[in-house]
Amino acid sequence: MAVFLGWAVAAAAVGAFVSLFSGNVNFAPGACERLEPYLSSKLVGQELALRQITDAICDHLAKDEPQRPLVLSLHGPPGVGKSMFHRLAAQALYNRRIHDALRCPGLDCAGYKVLYGMDYTAQERHHQHTLLRAAILEHMRAAPESLFVIEEYDKLDCPMRGFFRQLLENGQVANVSMNRAIVILESNLGYTELVDLLLRAGDRSKIEPEEAQRVLKDLVFARWLAEGCEERSDTLKMVGQVSFFLPFLPLERSHIRQLFEMRLAERSAELQDLKLGSLQWDPAVIDFLTSKVDFDGAFPIEGAKEVGTLLTRYASRPLRQWTADQQQHAEQQKKQRGSSKKKKQKEKGQQKEQEEEQQEEEQVQQAAVALSVGRLRVDGSGRELTVEHAHRAVWR
């Protein structure tokens, strides 16, 4: 039987934790203030979950001596932002300043740990459990302020569920405390129930958080009780360790359009940072890209997963070609300035030359570099995207 290596790799990496923890293992000051604005700028359609998550995390961080870890259970179909959420949260929690060069996962978020589910053969189970327990305890010992994520947690087998129940219930195992930790339990369980909840409400803004919590909590309890791993009272205890059951609702067509707009705006910002112009796009471009997404009624089948794929398929090539033209234009301008400088050097005395060099350097820093604004549009065939020069823009 083939074995998926997600947890095995994590468990085998126990020795690597020591070097990782030369990085950021403590929540940085101001984490609460950074968290909600940052998450809201990157995730769409999940206001109900994000509002509760940020409030819960802020309350937890405000406690000097928490009595237990904060445990959040995230439910929803693939592609709606669950995994993206905890990556973004790690950036905001462990760093005072968020920027593109952050090594996260990595040294800049060394307290952030994700464990992935896995199926074992009967012969492997005990050995893998031993490795996994060791990896978890080593991580918590080195980083008490962990952002600890367990993906597909509803599929934990009986022994590992018992271990996590003990860990969460007592907040301490083998002299390792996790009371300051934030534990994210992630699951795809609940898609049908969340769709029903959304359809009944008619609008996601009208869904009551208590109703969503009840639906998801009952679902997890029923799943675990049916597996018969433990007494009913122990199953109740395990479910009771979760502070919040949070719905990551199915995305809708408007969210997909919003994501295409956001990704194109990011491309434009990158061009502006490089002084290579900027990007505009016709509304028809968003219509075109959205039409390529596979929907099941009102909901995209793969959530937001197709957004990046479709931008690569239809927008990346014309944008690369246009960017190359912009870079060539910038190089030509640079050469022209160099030729002009050499000519002046021949005509002017040394002192005058130095004065003009200083003036020119200041002008170069503040000079207007005329570059094009590119307009992304659907071409005449209606099957491809192309970029045309809209007009000259002045960048300072």
Side-chain angles (χ1 to χ4, degrees):
M1 177 179 177
V3 178
F4 177 65
L5 296 179
W7 285 41
V9 171
V14 175
F17 287 144
V18 175
S19 62
L20 276 179
F21 292 138
S22 59
N24 297 345
V25 296
N26 295 318
F27 299 135
C32 175
E33 290 74 15
R34 285 189 300 275
L35 188 62
E36 186 167 12
Y38 187 52
L39 294 176
S40 298
S41 72
K42 300 291 185 181
L43 295 168
V44 302
Q46 307 302 346
E47 291 79 11
L48 176 61
L50 294 183
R51 185 170 62 249
Q52 296 178 79
I53 287 170
T54 52
D55 288 343
I57 290 177
C58 286
D59 282 353
H60 185 69
L61 296 180
K63 297 175 182 176
D64 293 331
E65 296 292 337
Q67 297 303 303
R68 52 171 294 183
L70 174 64
V71 184
L72 306 174
S73 180
L74 314 184
H75 292 259
V80 297
K82 301 188 303 296
S83 295
M84 187 176 183
F85 153 71
H86 55 72
R87 288 196 298 271
L88 296 173
Q91 294 173 9
L93 288 170
Y94 291 106
N95 298 277
R96 291 173 180 262
R97 189 171 69 87
I98 303 171
H99 53 84
D100 292 339
L102 282 178
R103 295 160 297 178
C104 188
L107 288 177
D108 294 317
C109 300
Y112 170 45
K113 183 65 181 173
V114 183
L115 295 180
Y116 302 92
M118 149 179 175
D119 293 325
Y120 308 116
T121 63
Q123 293 80 5
E124 294 167 331
R125 184 170 288 116
H126 177 73
H127 178 62
Q128 295 292 352
H129 285 172
T130 301
L131 288 175
L132 183 57
R133 285 168 59 99
I136 292 169
L137 294 176
E138 181 66 23
H139 180 87
M140 299 306 303
R141 183 177 291 111
E145 293 188 354
S146 289
L147 177 63
F148 196 81
V149 182
I150 306 172
E151 294 203 343
E152 296 188 327
Y153 82 95
D154 54 293
K155 297 180 181 178
L156 289 174
D157 61 20
C158 294
M160 286 312 302
R161 199 158 78 216
F163 168 70
F164 278 110
R165 186 181 70 249
Q166 180 186 8
L167 192 62
L168 297 177
E169 185 175 356
N170 299 325
Q172 185 167 324
V173 173
N175 294 321
V176 175
S177 173
M178 60 182 301
N179 286 343
R180 299 197 62 81
I182 298 170
V183 179
I184 306 295
L185 306 176
E186 185 182 327
S187 172
N188 294 333
L189 191 66
Y191 171 72
T192 302
E193 289 76 9
L194 292 178
V195 168
D196 290 344
L197 198 63
L198 185 54
L199 293 176
R200 286 201 308 272
D203 187 306
R204 63 188 57 220
S205 65
K206 296 179 181 179
I207 296 174
E208 294 294 335
E210 293 81 10
E211 184 179 8
Q213 166 113 349
R214 177 184 55 76
V215 167
L216 295 172
K217 187 174 183 178
D218 289 350
L219 185 65
V220 172
F221 176 74
R223 164 72 70 89
W224 281 351
L225 190 64
E227 292 173 356
C229 288
E230 66 261 307
E231 297 292 332
R232 179 186 176 89
S233 59
D234 288 330
T235 304
L236 281 170
K237 285 181 182 179
M238 181 62 180
V239 173
Q241 298 307 312
V242 179
S243 308
F244 289 83
F245 287 84
L246 298 156
F248 272 65
L249 297 166
L251 298 180
E252 299 175 68
R253 190 174 299 270
S254 62
H255 302 122
I256 298 300
R257 294 180 64 87
Q258 187 179 350
L259 286 169
F260 279 126
E261 295 273 6
M262 289 169 62
R263 299 297 175 262
L264 289 175
E266 290 170 1
R267 299 276 185 102
S268 180
E270 291 169 3
L271 291 170
Q272 293 182 46
D273 290 343
L274 295 171
K275 298 288 176 65
L276 292 175
S278 68
L279 182 66
Q280 299 175 352
W281 50 92
D282 296 334
V285 169
I286 305 300
D287 294 338
F288 172 83
L289 291 168
T290 304
S291 73
K292 301 296 182 181
V293 175
D294 199 4
F295 283 84
D296 179 12
F299 309 115
I301 292 175
E302 295 188 73
K305 289 185 175 182
E306 288 188 273
V307 170
T309 300
L310 291 169
L311 284 172
T312 297
R313 183 174 295 154
Y314 291 103
S316 288
R317 183 178 295 270
L319 286 174
R320 279 201 312 272
Q321 293 171 343
W322 184 77
T323 301
D325 290 342
Q326 295 298 93
Q327 290 172 329
Q328 185 178 12
H329 179 72
E331 287 297 322
Q332 290 173 349
Q333 285 195 326
K334 184 177 179 181
K335 289 179 181 179
Q336 289 173 0
R337 288 196 301 269
S339 298
S340 175
K341 179 178 177 180
K342 289 180 180 179
K343 183 177 180 181
K344 288 179 181 179
Q345 287 174 346
K346 292 180 180 179
E347 296 174 350
K348 305 292 183 180
Q350 186 174 4
Q351 183 176 356
K352 187 69 174 176
E353 174 188 328
Q354 291 176 348
E355 292 175 357
E356 291 192 351
E357 282 182 355
Q358 184 176 354
Q359 291 176 358
E360 185 174 347
E361 182 64 28
E362 293 174 356
Q363 290 172 355
V364 167
Q365 294 176 3
Q366 302 177 359
V369 181
L371 292 173
S372 293
V373 173
R375 178 173 290 277
L376 186 66
R377 64 177 184 83
V378 182
D379 72 2
S381 72
R383 299 176 57 192
E384 301 289 344
L385 297 180
T386 186
V387 181
E388 63 182 18
H389 294 285
H391 55 80
R392 291 290 176 183
V394 175
W395 302 99
R396 292 189 180 277

